[in-house]
Amino acid sequence: MTTITQKLAAFVADTTYDSLPPEATDVARRTLLDTAGVALAGRRESAADIACRYAQSLQCAGRASVLAGGFQTSAEEAAFANGVLSHVLDYDDVGHRAQGHLSAVLYPAILAVAEEVGSSGKEVVTAYVLGVECWARVAWTMPLLHTKGWHPTSIFGILGATAAVSKLMKLPADQIAHAFGIAASMASGLTQNFGTDTKSLHAGQAAKNAIVAAKLAAQGFTAAIDAIEGALGFQVGFFRGEAVDSKSMTANLGQPFAAIDPGVNVKKYPCCMLPHRTIDAVLHLTKTHDLRAADIERIDCQMPFLGPKILSYDRPKDGLTAKFSLQ
């Protein structure tokens, strides 16, 4: 019997650029430009500088570039540094049903491996669309991770990035299934670290570890071929026995592709996505009514239950904590 993990792997192995709808490839191109922009802007942040200096200090041989770093290193370390750069401003895109930041994990992994193996532009685009698809398909069948203390961007991101880099490496379906299993055991990232440098590390480590998983699988390293849906697998480890419809993960794959529906949301503001509507409302009110701070006695704001748990800094002390503060 073919497992859910194997079905995802086969879909990755069998899907070609020519089979992708133009709407999906357009999303890939648009998000690549956006991710490059936010990564370059993030290069000035202290966490990004530390990550780049760390990657350079390892002196790994390789031809993968660190954005605005001025050096090349191994695909793994370039993916790590570029993941931090892409996520450090919290300006990177999000996928609603994917529960996290798609491109800040996928593109650092994809571009690093693409440089290493000499991938074409079409191969890069295909890898991204497949990475979004596998990430979203697993994530949208499962309960919200944030409230359980896990950061979905890294937990699901490593699975999406593993699909993407496995495609670039042209792994067969059986090896991709093992890569998924390896990646499932490497997934990590705590919500408690929001508002610190370590939140951006989550994107970098997921990108890096996806490459490690794919390379190990390519060498014959094995894992459970039902690691995602197994009785003691990924869904049980992170969801503590909550009901998960794992069969829906592979129902109608690519019909439509998740890159198209529900799509990828590019951010207007460099902060957590949850207060974006509040920011829009405040800007609208101040413009419409010429409001000043002295005119306002109090503000009441209604949010879904997740809001206060993520926006946990009532009195932010710096830019990092302010990104997770509704106040």
Side-chain angles (χ1 to χ4, degrees):
M1 180 177 177
T2 304
T3 69
I4 299 298
T5 304
Q6 288 176 311
K7 289 179 180 178
L8 284 172
F11 184 75
V12 172
D14 294 342
T15 302
T16 65
Y17 176 85
D18 291 336
S19 69
L20 300 178
E23 296 89 345
T25 58
D26 287 346
V27 169
R29 295 183 182 93
R30 172 172 57 85
T31 51
L32 173 58
L33 290 173
D34 181 72
T35 305
V38 298
L40 291 172
R43 180 62 179 85
R44 294 184 177 183
E45 297 296 304
S46 62
D49 186 57
I50 293 169
C52 288
R53 285 191 282 112
Y54 167 76
Q56 190 169 24
S57 73
L58 298 177
Q59 298 183 331
C60 296
R63 52 179 180 270
S65 303
V66 174
L67 290 171
F71 68 96
Q72 291 182 313
T73 182
S74 67
E76 293 90 332
E77 297 309 325
F80 171 76
N82 289 333
V84 174
L85 266 66
S86 299
H87 196 41
V88 68
L89 290 178
D90 237 285
Y91 215 164
D92 48 305
D93 61 44
V94 297
H96 175 61
R97 293 174 69 182
Q99 295 193 39
H101 300 254
L102 293 162
S103 298
V105 177
L106 294 177
Y107 273 127
I110 288 170
L111 295 179
V113 171
E115 279 192 286
E116 186 172 73
V117 303
S119 303
S120 68
K122 288 183 178 181
E123 289 171 330
V124 166
V125 166
T126 304
Y128 179 83
V129 174
L130 289 171
V132 171
E133 186 72 6
C134 291
W135 178 334
R137 285 288 177 164
V138 174
W140 72 37
T141 65
M142 297 189 177
L144 290 173
L145 269 186
H146 293 91
T147 56
K148 300 181 183 300
W150 298 112
H151 185 191
T153 293
S154 50
I155 302 299
F156 297 124
I158 189 173
L159 298 179
T162 296
V165 300
S166 295
K167 184 65 175 179
L168 290 176
M169 293 169 60
K170 297 180 171 60
L171 299 188
D174 61 329
Q175 289 185 342
I176 297 175
H178 286 292
F180 277 140
I182 298 166
S185 276
M186 300 171 79
S188 62
L190 298 177
T191 309
Q192 191 66 39
N193 274 316
F194 284 17
T196 73
D197 292 342
T198 300
K199 184 174 188 287
S200 58
L201 176 143
H202 293 166
Q205 75 175 3
K208 172 182 176 176
N209 287 342
I211 298 173
V212 173
K215 287 188 174 182
L216 285 171
Q219 293 295 323
F221 207 85
T222 65
I225 56 172
D226 59 350
I228 293 176
E229 80 281 6
L232 294 174
F234 183 86
Q235 66 185 37
V236 175
F238 289 109
F239 296 99
R240 303 174 189 171
E242 290 191 36
V244 173
D245 181 14
S246 57
K247 290 183 179 180
S248 66
M249 292 179 187
T250 54
N252 301 315
L253 282 165
Q255 299 178 28
F257 280 94
I260 302 171
D261 183 16
V264 183
N265 300 312
V266 172
K267 284 186 174 181
K268 292 175 67 176
Y269 312 110
C271 64
C272 178
M273 193 74 172
L274 286 169
H276 276 221
R277 290 184 178 180
T278 308
I279 296 170
D280 284 337
V282 170
L283 293 176
H284 173 75
L285 289 170
T286 54
K287 180 179 180 180
T288 304
H289 301 287
D290 193 29
L291 291 177
R292 299 291 183 268
D295 302 327
I296 300 170
E297 179 177 316
R298 60 179 288 172
I299 298 174
D300 293 326
C301 182
Q302 295 181 347
M303 299 192 75
F305 77 97
L306 182 63
K309 291 183 177 292
I310 302 302
L311 305 175
S312 58
Y313 293 94
D314 295 341
R315 296 181 179 272
K317 65 182 187 299
D318 54 26
L320 281 172
T321 50
K323 294 175 185 296
F324 300 93
S325 174
L326 187 63
Q327 289 82 353

